[in-house]
């Protein structure tokens, strides 16, 4: 069964592309970004001149950061034309002229991407859950394994199963039928206008990665301690969530980042994540 038909996929991403980069005005998402940046610094093991692929890289926000922060070339591979159009617009802005020449955009479906050559990348990132949109995440991992050079690393994110169940119980007060369906299928429906999305446990991601031929070097929760409020999923923000308002205090933000990084990598903490990130290595 196709998880998200092509027409619904494009219908969702056309308006989403216009607003997604503005979500990060909320301090909760800025905290998530800082956690992700540090995990990339610690675990991706790339440097100036290396070429990485950003699978599901959307508007190119992370590609620009990698090009500027790490000195890498970046290929943004995405299925959503609207997201790539937004990325092209962003790369044309004068303020990103310094990195625009190091970012390429490729329209493809990571589940079957002949546009990406075998063993052509020195690193791989997939940030904020391209994996959750896949009909067959096993095929997505197989493609990512195919295009990564031996001896190289990747960081891949998907939405967390435990957080989805907790949110449905505690925030949404979901029906017993919806809870049981989520637990049985690992597919969540967050809202009528949002496509159904896959959610993962650390064990799920580990099994998928190993099945594709990767070694697994770790699984992290992003975030494992803080939980976004419902307001953090809306834009424009008419009201800030309690957690985002708290994180406006620089001392609270610093403490939250410190503790998030402290628990990341500890056994048993990853599955608490709103999102999960798996660190893979291709022998």
């Amino acid at each position: 069964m196709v998880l998200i038909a092509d027409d619904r996929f494009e219908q969702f991403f056309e308006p989403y592309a216009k607003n997604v980069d503005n979500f990060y005005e909320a301090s909760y998402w800025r905290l998530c970004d800082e956690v992700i940046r540090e995990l990339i610094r610690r675990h991706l093991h790339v440097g100036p001149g290396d070429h990485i692929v950003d699978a599901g890289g959307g508007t190119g926000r992370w590609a620009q950061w990698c090009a500027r922060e790490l000195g890498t070339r970046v290929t943004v591979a995405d299925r959503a034309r609207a997201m790539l159009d937004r990325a092209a617009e962003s790369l044309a802005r004068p303020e990103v002229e310094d990195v625009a020449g190091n970012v390429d955009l490729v329209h493809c479906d990571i589940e079957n991407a002949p546009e990406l050559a075998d063993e052509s990348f020195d690193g791989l990132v997939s940030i904020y859950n391209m994996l959750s949109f896949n009909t067959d995440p096993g095929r997505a991992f197989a493609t990512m394994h195919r295009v990564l050079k031996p001896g190289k690393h990747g960081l891949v994110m998907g939405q967390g199963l435990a957080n989805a169940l907790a949110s449905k119980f505690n925030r949404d007060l979901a029906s017993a039928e919806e809870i049981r369906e989520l637990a049985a299928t690992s597919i969540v429906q967050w809202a009528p206008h949002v496509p159904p999305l896959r959610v993962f446990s650390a064990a799920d991601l580990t099994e998928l990665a190993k099945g594709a031929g990767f070694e697994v070097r770790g699984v992290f929760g992003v975030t494992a301690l803080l939980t976004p409020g419902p307001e953090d999923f809306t834009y424009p923000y008419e009201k800030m969530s309690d957690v985002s308002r708290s994180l406006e205090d620089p001392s609270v933000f610093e403490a939250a980042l410190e503790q998030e990084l402290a628990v990341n990598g500890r056994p048993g903490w990853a599955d608490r994540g709103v999102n999960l990130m798996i660190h893979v290595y291709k022998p």
Side-chain angles (χ1 to χ4, degrees):
M1 180 187 73
V2 174
L3 183 64
I4 308 169
D6 287 343
D7 55 349
R8 188 174 185 194
F9 186 87
E10 294 295 346
Q11 287 169 9
F12 172 73
F13 276 103
E14 186 172 353
Y16 185 74
K18 298 175 183 177
N19 292 326
V20 61
D21 287 347
N22 297 319
F23 286 3
Y24 303 95
E25 294 175 10
S27 293
Y28 171 78
W29 297 113
R30 290 195 293 105
L31 176 69
C32 288
D33 277 5
E34 288 301 318
V35 173
I36 292 166
R37 289 183 183 115
E38 186 57 29
L39 292 174
I40 290 173
R41 293 184 188 106
R42 293 180 181 184
H43 302 298
L44 195 57
H45 303 293
V46 295
D50 285 340
H51 190 185
I52 68 176
V53 61
D54 184 353
T59 64
R61 186 171 70 91
W62 283 97
Q64 291 177 29
W65 180 84
C66 289
R68 184 173 289 115
E69 175 82 4
L70 308 175
T72 58
R73 294 174 54 210
V74 188
T75 292
V76 176
D78 204 291
R79 176 184 167 192
R81 292 186 184 275
M83 297 288 271
L84 292 175
D85 289 344
R86 190 73 170 177
E89 293 173 7
S90 178
L91 290 168
R93 299 200 315 263
E95 57 266 34
V96 299
E97 185 178 12
D98 59 324
V99 297
N102 289 327
V103 179
D104 300 313
L105 308 178
V106 176
H107 180 244
C108 65
D109 185 341
I110 205 68
E111 291 188 32
N112 180 25
E115 299 87 350
L116 304 177
D118 294 357
E119 298 185 354
S120 54
F121 296 104
D122 302 295
L124 180 147
V125 295
S126 183
I127 300 171
Y128 288 129
N129 308 324
M130 170 277 294
L131 201 63
S132 289
F133 287 85
N134 288 152
T135 293
D136 187 343
R139 290 182 62 186
F141 268 102
T143 297
M144 291 186 283
H145 184 273
R146 175 180 63 78
V147 303
L148 193 63
K149 294 177 182 177
K152 302 300 182 180
H153 299 257
L155 294 166
V156 180
M157 291 179 71
Q159 290 191 8
L161 171 60
N163 174 73
L165 285 166
S167 296
K168 285 296 181 180
F169 271 119
N170 298 303
R171 186 193 70 195
D172 296 352
L173 306 178
S175 68
E177 181 182 6
E178 183 177 6
I179 292 291
R180 291 186 175 117
E181 182 72 10
L182 167 56
T185 64
S186 293
I187 295 174
V188 65
Q189 184 79 55
W190 290 116
H193 68 284
V194 178
L197 297 172
R198 294 196 181 281
V199 288
F200 303 92
S201 67
D204 294 334
L205 291 177
T206 298
E207 181 179 357
L208 287 163
K210 287 184 174 180
F214 283 117
E215 292 180 6
V216 175
R217 298 292 178 89
V219 186
F220 314 107
V222 183
T223 53
L225 299 175
L226 281 80
T227 303
E231 298 89 350
D232 291 316
F233 296 93
T234 61
Y235 189 82
Y237 295 116
E238 296 180 358
K239 177 184 176 184
M240 281 292 172
S241 71
D242 290 340
V243 68
S244 283
R245 189 180 306 108
S246 174
L247 290 168
E248 289 291 305
D249 181 333
S251 64
V252 175
F253 191 99
E254 181 180 357
L257 178 59
E258 174 187 286
Q259 294 306 311
E260 286 288 349
L261 292 172
V263 302
N264 257 311
R266 290 185 186 177
W269 283 87
D271 275 314
R272 294 175 58 99
V274 176
N275 298 298
L276 274 58
M277 173 183 279
I278 188 167
H279 173 198
V280 297
Y281 172 80
K282 181 174 177 178

